[in-house]
Amino acid sequence: MRRYAGLLTLILAVALAAPPAPAQEKPRYGGELVFPVPSEMPSYDGHRESTFGLIHPIAPHYNTLLRVDPTDPTGTKPIGDLAESWTASKDGLVYTFKLRRGVKFHDGSQMTSKDVKASYDKIIFPPAGVGSERKGSYAVVEVVEAPDPYTVRFRLKWTAASFLTSLASPWNFIYKADILAKDMHWYEKNIMGTGPFTFVEHVKGSHWVGKKNPNYWDKGKPYLDGYRALFIKASSAQVAAIRGERAHIQFRSFTSADRDNLKAALGDKITVQESPWDCILMVTTNHEKKPFDDKRVRRALTLALDRYEGSKALSRIAIVKEVAGVVVPGTPYATPPQELEKVAGYWRDANKSRAEARRLLKEAGVPEGFSFTFRNRGLPMPYEPLAVWMIDQWRQIGLNVKQDVVEAAAYFGELRKGAFDVAMDFQCGYIVEPDLDLYKFLSSDKNPANYCRCKDEVLDDLYLKQARALDVEERRRYIRQFEKRLLDEEAHSFMTLQWHRIIPHSSKVKGWQVTPSHYLNNQLDAVWLTE
Amino acid sequence: MTKFIVRRLLLMIPTLLGVAVLIFLLLRIVPGDVVEARYVGGQGQFVSVEQMAMERAKLGLDQPLWKQFVAWMGGLVRLDLGISMWTGAPITEEIKLRFALSLQLAVMATIVATVLAIPLGIVAALKQDTWIDYGVRVFSIAGLAMPSFWLGIVFILGLLIIFEWLPPMVYTPFWVDPWQNMLQLVWPALAVGYRYSAVATRMTRSAMLEVLREDYIRTARAKGLWTKLILARHALKNAILPVLTVIALEFAFLLGGLVVTEQVFNLNGLGLLFVEAIARRDYTLTQALVMLVATVFIVVNFTVDLLYAWLDPRIRFR
Amino acid sequence: MTDERPLLEVRDLVKHFHVGGGLFGGPAGVVRAVDGVSFSLRRGETVGLVGESGCGKTTTGRCILQLERPTSGEIVFEGRDLTKLDDVELRPFRRRIQVIFQDPYSSLNPRMTVGQILAEPLAVHGIVPERAKRETRVRELLAHVGLLPQHAHRYPHQLSGGQRQRVGIARALAMEPSLIVCDEPVSALDVSIQAQIINLLEDLQREFGLTYLFIAHDLSVVRHISDHVAVMYLGKIVELADRKSLYDDPLHPYTKALLAAVPIPDPELEARREHIVLRGEVPSPLRPPSGCVFHPRCPIAIERCAREVPELREIRPGHGAACILA
Amino acid sequence: MATLLEVRNLTTEFVTSGGVVRAVDGVSWDVREGETVALVGESGCGKSVSALSVMRLVAAPAGRIVGGQVLFKGRDLLALSEEEMRRIRGREIAMIFQEPMTSLNPVLTIGRQLTEGLEIHLGMTPPEARARAALLLGMVGIPDPARRLGQYPHQFSGGMRQRMMIAMALACEPSLVLADEPTTALDVTIQAQILELMKDLSRRLGVAMLIITHNLGVVARYADRVNVMYAGRIVERGSARELYAEPRHPYTLGLLKSVPRLDEPRRARLDPIEGQPPDLTQLGAGCAFEPRCGFRVERCTADRPELRPAGGEGHVAACWELGRVARTPAARVQ
């Protein structure tokens, strides 16, 4: 097992270090990429939905204004998609984009700036009765302008470090303005994009088929003749599909056990790509419940968790691995390990942490054997193993914790009502960007999705500061401060372990790079099959 | 007889109404709703309370319960199932394909079960307490002991390891490509049918044993009839009645969906849809599915009664 | 027979069953199982109720036992009209009227020993509350019905038919009843055993001053055991008399036919006897014939019989018959 | 009259949880052409099993015929193949059962159940068989036979069903009918009808009959000769007149004395046979009736008496104390 772990680290290192498709290999044309999708989209409208079940089958039909560089393993570098180039004003409040020419919708019509404007207006300023999932994350935008057919201009209310990245959101499909003008809901049930693949069919619960767009603006692409997404809910059936070579790749993640089985069965026919995953389970305390209003108690809770040992054990059985702060490790704003080790709960010496935790509890007047209920969401992976681990960790500092599992769909309703002492919470990013990752921890009155029922103006202020800091180093500093305050000093919420994404795919699949987000890199324009 | 049929048909209305009220209320007692399920969790942090209220209003979830119920009933009366709260698509469209699959699987599994159960049951009864009987009993107990999804996994692994082959992953309707269709469905039908045959086999065996002990069988033998004729004409028609009930109820259960088996074979059937509809708090879809399954049960029951009457004159001429 | 007031008086008892019908139709009908039956039992005597299956004799018994609530009529037992009492008020009376069934096997719990079967009612009704005394009482009861103490440990299936019927009798006796309804108590038993049980019933009657309503279809048995006999046909009593008068000189043509139909175990006599064989079968109580219900099968029926319903009238002192020609 | 059926030393055993039971223990009896013979006894004495053994319908595997011969028209039925035996059943020897309610198949029409024997044994075409079936129903006194053929057993009353059973038994004009308690389940007036019908038909068609019953009255009225069975053996046989007038076996005597009779003055008290019927798994070496017998002597416990002459022509009884029984005043029953 130890030997194996070493091997995994090696695979991981390779995966993170080098793109899997070396430049010298010449892409081959043709073939149909088949991939299982573990979830299915409710509607087709990316602006409205939030499941990867939409991105995986639908992203290949569309382009976005910017996109995340598909060859960047950190998934953080915005590059142009429909935008050919862009400039930002000195004050950082105006962004001007030049669009590519000759981009056509699948119906043959030309894509122009009015389509981009209409799409972003729908996302940022939806008319009454139109749902937009991410309206809140574009609060900075004052107006979107289309001064000429190939220019789009965004005017911002304040400076935003993350603005370009946020335009690379995989959700922000560019729709056709004429269609939106007639029916804002049209895209919920129809597909009409500019992407590398055109829509063929969708059979509910069964599959989704796309075929090559011969008139794609990026000449020479896509390489595939088409793709077929199979909606397969059971992971065993997904694994069987890969195992039986009925499918090439599943873009979300498998477990380490699945990876090992596939590798054992198919050997070289399987290539494994892994990455830290921009999803994390964290613990939220309810400040309205005693003694969790006392930060000494909250700190004790996080100090009790020996994350380094936990990582070793849990990574074998659950889809978690990396010990991380508020930002995914390996990405530009991630906390360097030596700094992370200074944060409470991340000390290398677990005994020291536990002693400190016990001291804090004693100081706060929490008796030995104090018992409380830990609310957990009724999902097996990775909620269950993590909770079991934490309860054991807490037992070691003299706390007696009972788990109370609530069915998944009812769970957050309960949290919102504050019906808990300490609870599991969850955050998953579609792009690695501190604005998205930290927003969760704003005061509860600013973000009701922060269930701590707490107010922390210092954190709110730090959030704004990092969001507006255009200098990378300055922004890093604020993020570190934010992290120190959130996880250590106040410990309103604290992290468990970073999820870990494992993609064992057919070795025939080339031109696809794993990133920390399973929402990214699904346009499939550069993906090809060796045979 | 006509009166009997009309009466039974009319009795369906209060039964279904009762089911409707029950499922309507049960769904709303469970915490959480479709808007919650959709926007909260993962990335719901950017969704405002106002937007959630708007979504609820759009789905009519802000209406008083009785109004929601009346609206639903009104639709049902017009045979309009409404739209799914989750996908926004008409429920008929959501159910259609899955129903076709579940129906076909149920029919096939029932055929498998019947084809296995009736001959095996008869043979076991005729050869009571011989090794043939024990063999049949072991076979059927094994069927009961093995969950069909487990048998399904064994099938899949077997096919994969021995033949390096997997059944098709995607459902092809029978009328489009019968061969592909069969290649996919024959395995789950065997796995499920085998399991369901167990009960029917035992029922056939015991019914047959019971009938063979009846006085009228002795009368038939005393008349000097051939053994085969006694079995076919005198015994089977009597023994088949309880078997029929078992098989019909199994058929109704099968049609209600086989959640785990569907997952194992990746079948796009009603079972998974059902589970997902409930998990997503898709009230309209769940309600429609419950009504569908309830109707199926009632209709199957009714059909069994009619078959009973057809096979058993004591009921027909009551 | 010392007490002048009858122990039980049944007046104009009617029991109708509704069949079919229901929420949305189906052929509804009324079965007139018992249609105006009156008779009385004096303390210590036995009244035999004879008739063919479906004549209403068992339903009459069930009404007296309050297992069925009569449609109308009175059942006066020990001075109280049972039909007017509610369940609570009935309870003491239920104990005082016991029943012996035809098939003792199906009326005995197969999972209880004879001792338990007999002790249970003693405990439940608080007749013998102490456990130790109950055992003594069970032994006493077994002795009364001619069983041995060790039979208390047997299960019903370990007993012969006659022994089971003895247990059934002991169970009825345990309640210290004044009236026992015997519903075909010997017809399921072997010939050689029937006589034992009949003798036992007679002995018990003398010893405990019991009153029997003896329901049976076997006319010779009824003759042996009864003081008075009522003959029923299609829900009605067609003839009612003391034993001697009824058997020696039956008045109703139905009674005559019944008596003639009973084969006598004497080939010489049988060869000489005149055999009246009744035509047809008992009509359905759903649609009883008009007039005298017996007229379609009656060998002496005249045209009037189809119109007039004959009343049970006293033809001779203490001998009534419901026939206009009697 | 020639002997039609002769049963010699027939022995039939059943395997029960209590051990092997000899339900029929070396029994011999015969039926002559056109005659009515009775087999009388209480439940479990082996009278029904005797008849079923003749038909070779003893329910296997629990029951099996272990010895003896059944000579029918000179052929030993026990030596026939199953197919040969099948051709005899219903064609040469027919059987009528006790329970008309359960002995007819509830899901087949009366017509179907009547015609199938005709089609198989007599090779009739369906229309021919149907015509004959209607005729048969008429013969057994079922009105409107053509319509009734299309009906089901539950639409018939008990008496009508038993008529139907008789019609079925007589369908192929057999030479022998075995009637197992044919009237026990019926009401007195119907019982009389059915017995009259059977007697009449047997006389008219010249069919020999074996009537199995526990009812001594029925026997007295209809049988020419009587066999009394007790615990699997025949204990007395004789002509009906002699057997009733001068019973020689204590059991026969006891039976006759224990029933109340309408033709005699009411007795104050019945004379039952004391004790319980024997448990066939617990039989000793002696006479099975010994524990209940008022005439028993020492010898009865050890030695089983065989049938021996007990009076007139063909009157035999199996008792060591025949003489004493004969001298008992009560033995002259009337």
Side-chain angles (χ1 to χ4, degrees), chain A residues 28-34 197 223-227 248 529 531:
Chain A
R28 179 186 155 273
Y29 282 94
E32 183 182 60
L33 183 76
V34 183
F197 293 89
Y223 302 120
L224 297 168
D225 284 343
Y227 66 91
H248 299 102
L529 294 170
E531 58 182 88

Side-chain angles (χ1 to χ4, degrees), chain A residues 144-366:
Chain A
V144 185
E145 295 164 352
D148 71 62
Y150 296 97
T151 306
V152 175
R153 194 178 291 135
F154 288 77
R155 290 186 188 279
L156 307 189
K157 297 176 199 157
W158 54 80
T159 56
S162 66
F163 186 63
L164 280 177
T165 316
S166 72
L167 291 188
S169 161
W171 300 104
N172 296 356
F173 301 147
I174 300 305
Y175 293 154
K176 191 168 155 166
D178 294 350
I179 293 175
L180 289 179
K182 277 191 212 119
D183 180 3
M184 280 299 226
H185 295 289
W186 191 85
Y187 276 97
E188 289 171 15
K189 289 182 181 129
N190 300 280
I191 299 288
M192 176 50 64
T194 55
F197 293 89
T198 57
F199 173 71
V200 176
E201 72 165 339
H202 172 214
V203 178
K204 275 176 192 284
S206 176
H207 59 277
W208 183 291
V209 182
K211 75 165 195 282
K212 181 174 185 164
N213 174 6
N215 304 317
Y216 192 50
W217 55 264
D218 193 354
K219 292 301 163 212
K221 283 182 180 172
Y223 302 120
L224 297 168
D225 284 343
Y227 66 91
R228 182 175 292 265
L230 308 176
F231 300 110
I232 302 182
K233 274 91 184 183
S235 59
S236 66
Q238 296 159 22
V239 174
I242 305 279
R243 164 82 175 73
E245 298 180 73
R246 286 290 171 116
H248 299 102
I249 186 167
Q250 185 257 58
F251 287 114
R252 188 173 177 268
S253 179
F254 279 136
T255 65
S256 47
D258 292 337
R259 170 198 63 205
D260 298 346
N261 288 338
L262 286 171
K263 199 70 193 161
L266 296 175
D268 283 351
K269 289 175 163 179
I270 285 288
T271 301
V272 180
Q273 297 194 48
E274 301 193 20
S275 166
W277 194 349
D278 190 11
C279 295
I280 198 160
L281 293 187
M282 60 221 174
V283 177
T284 294
T285 54
N286 184 347
H287 289 226
E288 287 178 358
K289 292 275 170 76
K290 284 196 184 305
F292 305 104
D293 55 339
D294 187 331
K295 68 177 165 195
R296 290 172 296 193
V297 177
R298 303 196 298 264
R299 285 193 80 216
L301 289 183
T302 180
L303 277 164
L305 306 182
D306 181 355
R307 291 169 172 83
Y308 300 103
E309 281 302 310
S311 164
K312 281 185 205 161
L314 287 164
S315 61
R316 289 185 202 149
I317 56 166
I319 54 167
V320 294
K321 185 165 186 176
E322 286 78 13
V323 177
V326 289
V327 177
V328 184
T331 59
Y333 294 101
T335 327
Q338 63 275 20
E339 267 189 63
L340 194 60
E341 284 169 21
K342 293 176 193 153
V343 176
Y346 294 83
W347 304 346
R348 279 286 175 180
D349 186 345
N351 290 330
K352 191 179 136 204
S353 292
R354 292 205 180 104
E356 172 67 2
R358 283 179 180 272
R359 190 191 67 76
L360 286 170
L361 286 178
K362 202 169 175 193
E363 197 181 298
V366 174

Side-chain angles (χ1 to χ4, degrees), chain C residues 52-53 196 223-224 278 281, chain D residues 157 187 189 193 266 273:
Chain C
E52 294 175 281
S53 46
Q196 295 178 2
R223 169 173 176 248
H224 178 82
L278 282 182
E281 309 194 9
Chain D
S157 69
D187 275 319
T189 58
Q193 291 174 358
R266 179 181 174 272
I273 300 174

